Amino acid sequence: MEDIVLDLNGSFVALDEMNSIKTEIMNAQETLLDKKGISSEMTGWIDFMDTMDKKEYEEIKKCGKFINENCDAFIILGIGGSYLGAKAAIEAVRGDFHNELKSPQVYYAGQNLSGAYLKKLVEAIKNKEVCVIVISKSGTTLETALSFRIIRNLMEEKYKDEAKNRIFAVTDKNKGALKTMADLNGYKTFVIPDDIGGRYSVITPVGLLPMAAAGINTDEFIRGLKSGRNEYTKRDFHDNICCLYAAARNILSRRGKEIEILVNYEPCCISIAEWWKQLFGESEGKDGKGIFPASLNFTTDLHSMGQFVQDGRKIIFETTIFVENAGDDMEVPYEGDDFDKLNYIAGKKLNYINQKAFEGTFMAHSEGDVPGIIIRIPAMNEFYLGKLFYFFMMTCGISGYTNGIDPFTQPGVEAYKKNMFRLLGRQ
Ligand code: PA5
């Protein structure tokens, strides 16, 4: 297998049903690609790989290399679309235990308001050489701004005038508090384009700078994005897996399958699901509509939520990301006494056993009336990750327009802020 493959064989969606929604999907795709829909001014991500300023991209790689070579740890400050993609990419590509096995270590702040979390983070980095990447399009998000104030003070205390060379800002081109502060203090800044919203921004400096700093090959990532753009903008329903995935999930949702769980069998993919949840949840959950995106990590969660999936309310469909070649592997050793009765699989590799667990689970859930969609990925590297991100973003745009909502706004997230600021006494 040499490409990302969408397998709908276990989805309980018949070909005639797919054909019945085809026109709706193709209209939605046309609306998206021809920029005719609501909020079409926020679709700059479709071609960003080509429109990106080449000089800025070279600067990203240069600064990424600087961070990679000049610190023991760097902190990514951001929330929502301003950190989830970078975290997903770094964990997926650098792999499990990357902070223990690779340098620099990567930490996150500004994604919550916990004093306990920030205090412990400060403790963890106390004796390390540190760089900071602060990411905020608005520049005014409370979680990020607050953490940045504290981290910035610590950086200035530790590095004095040199602090400015260790702080990098990714923000709006012209406006916002972060932009003003960066200009005043002389931080290197990178631009989040006006026509790309937070949850579609992993392909911009928002994702690229942290990836480059973590030693990820961004050229390969962009190659994957471009390959995704070439394939997933095809206006051919049966030859475009974004159209097919959007069709299947909308059919299932209309049948009462209100929850889509994204499942993985590789711990390094857990944060891909976190990014995916934001993408689909913020894009589709509005006007009283939307499929609720959830995620489970198998086989771990088969020993907890697996019960609900198998036997609970029949409102779930399951989309599995399966990595065909997980890379590193280990073999089950043979033992003469066989006390643990595992000799029947002695000599087998763990990744093979994991695959059998997936196949067994898929069959069981199918028997439990849980439709299953499989997204098969040849390997979890920069190229396929870029392509996967693009696949999901394109599907999300098509799916959202099919469902008659605006996939590029998030008015609902303002409600908690209003109350919180009132309670905090902000004028
Ligand atoms: O998708 C979005 O737009 C949000 O999740 C934002 O990314 C998030 O709220 C952070 O906003 P900002 O980058 O302005 O700090």
Side-chain angles (χ1 to χ4, degrees), residues 76 80-96 98 106 108 199 202-203 206-208 210-211 214 216 221 262 264 266-279 321 380-382 384-386 388-389 392:
I76 301 170
S82 287
Y83 94 108
L84 283 166
K87 187 166 192 282
I90 290 168
E91 291 176 6
V93 176
R94 296 216 322 178
D96 304 310
H98 67 95
V106 189
Y108 302 89
R199 58 193 176 275
V202 61
I203 66 175
V206 171
L208 296 175
M211 283 186 224
I216 290 178
F221 179 76
L262 192 74
N264 68 75
E266 291 296 332
C268 71
C269 295
I270 290 173
S271 288
I272 294 180
E274 296 305 312
W275 171 83
W276 174 90
K277 283 191 280 190
Q278 190 214 1
L279 177 67
I321 296 183
M380 192 41 81
N381 56 29
E382 288 92 335
Y384 287 118
L385 187 69
L388 183 70
F389 279 149
F392 280 133

Side-chain angles (χ1 to χ4, degrees), residues 78-84 135-145 170-171 192 196-201 206 278-279 282 408-410 413-414 416-417:
I79 193 166
S82 287
Y83 94 108
L84 283 166
I135 308 170
S136 178
K137 188 171 185 186
S138 61
T140 54
T141 301
L142 183 69
E143 288 87 344
T144 307
V170 185
T171 189
I192 309 178
I196 302 181
R199 58 193 176 275
Y200 295 83
S201 69
V206 171
Q278 190 214 1
L279 177 67
E282 253 190 359
F408 304 112
T409 55
Q410 55 286 333
V413 300
E414 294 311 312
Y416 97 92
K417 291 186 194 167

